[in-house]
Amino acid sequence: MLLLTLAGAVLFPSAALGMPSLCGETGECVCITWITGGGATVEVRCPANGGSPSGWSTSGDPRDADGGDGSFGGSGNPSTLPSTLPGTVLNPTTGQNVNNAKNAAIQKLRGTKIVDEGTPKGTFEPNACTNLFLNSPLGMTGGQILGSYVTFRDGTNVKDSNNVNVCATNVPAWTTCCNHDRIVYICPGSFNSMSANDRMWTLIHEALHVGGQLEDKDTTVGPNDPPNSSQIGADVKKACP
Ligand SMILES: [Zn+2]
């Protein structure tokens, strides 16, 4: 049961997803970041030509800094500001592949569908795939982690804490293990060349790390070592066929 050898039960406060945060001001303009299912979006919104801004309207997303609804009603030109998130936004092809893999993974992680006359339709029973996250320190299911916690970013040329350009090592995806970092980096070259199933398993593997699953990085084998990457990969494949 190496797979469930997890770090201490550190629960992070759950941040509200979907809520934008003001990431700075440029003159009269505001920089807004919000998280969506497919990643994060940053947009600069400015009042029209220095005139009086028409302000925030009362409908639409993203919500304003007070937590109420509000989208900027001015006619200024939105312009793209480099995101404050590490990495870069996924290109459309990669984004589509990630979304497909994510949706397939969430389906798998729901468990086994119960089909019998006495059970309401749409009932799922946890199975080995669901249970990969049973004792996850983050306290979230795999579906919750992939569906609403993680932000996927293009990890091309992103260096980890050891100054390693991880995507250059031919991995399909990686995350900063294991403090529940929300960012999962996708390495488009490797990720896109994999089969649909391998992409799905890869995302479940990374979701385990986001949840707190440790991974052995050295070649020594010890009784207290966590599983290495290929062991985790094999376990995911077996649990979520
Ligand atoms: Zn791993």
Side-chain angles (χ1 to χ4, degrees):
M1 296 310 286
L2 277 175
L3 195 65
L4 297 175
T5 305
L6 296 162
V10 180
L11 289 178
F12 271 51
S14 60
L17 282 169
M19 292 289 287
S21 62
L22 298 181
C23 60
E25 293 191 9
T26 53
E28 292 182 78
C29 302
V30 289
C31 170
I32 299 169
T33 306
W34 67 98
I35 309 293
T36 65
T41 302
V42 180
E43 187 179 305
V44 180
R45 296 175 180 205
C46 308
N49 298 325
S52 63
S54 53
W56 300 86
S57 68
T58 55
S59 62
D61 248 350
R63 284 163 286 189
D64 64 26
D66 298 330
D69 284 342
S71 56
F72 188 64
S75 55
N77 294 323
S79 59
T80 306
L81 191 78
S83 172
T84 54
L85 293 172
T88 51
V89 73
L90 296 172
N91 67 39
T93 302
T94 309
Q96 189 63 55
N97 285 340
V98 168
N99 259 331
N100 291 345
K102 182 178 80 173
N103 291 335
I106 290 170
Q107 288 293 323
K108 282 279 181 202
L109 289 161
R110 287 169 81 177
T112 305
K113 193 168 189 177
I114 304 302
V115 184
D116 73 45
E117 285 181 14
T119 307
K121 281 184 177 170
T123 300
F124 289 80
E125 188 173 70
N127 60 15
C129 190
T130 321
N131 289 342
L132 289 173
F133 292 82
L134 195 59
N135 297 316
S136 179
L138 186 57
M140 296 174 84
T141 66
Q144 287 170 332
I145 290 174
L146 284 177
S148 61
Y149 186 85
V150 157
T151 294
F152 295 100
R153 298 284 288 173
D154 186 326
T156 304
N157 292 327
V158 174
K159 291 180 177 163
D160 69 6
S161 56
N162 294 321
N163 211 31
V164 173
N165 178 352
V166 185
C167 281
T169 67
N170 290 325
V171 298
W174 63 280
T175 186
T176 303
C177 193
C178 298
N179 293 312
H180 314 309
D181 194 300
R182 288 172 181 272
I183 307 286
V184 169
Y185 296 102
I186 301 294
C187 306
S190 306
F191 188 83
N192 291 337
S193 66
M194 293 193 306
S195 71
N197 270 343
D198 280 325
R199 288 181 200 139
M200 173 186 76
W201 289 323
T202 293
L203 295 195
I204 295 173
H205 180 142
E206 296 310 315
L208 283 168
H209 288 315
V210 171
Q213 173 65 52
L214 300 171
E215 182 172 289
D216 198 11
K217 289 295 183 191
D218 58 38
T219 50
T220 64
V221 178
N224 297 318
D225 278 358
N228 64 32
S229 181
S230 43
Q231 287 171 322
I232 295 173
D235 282 341
V236 168
K237 247 170 133 162
K238 192 176 167 197
C240 313

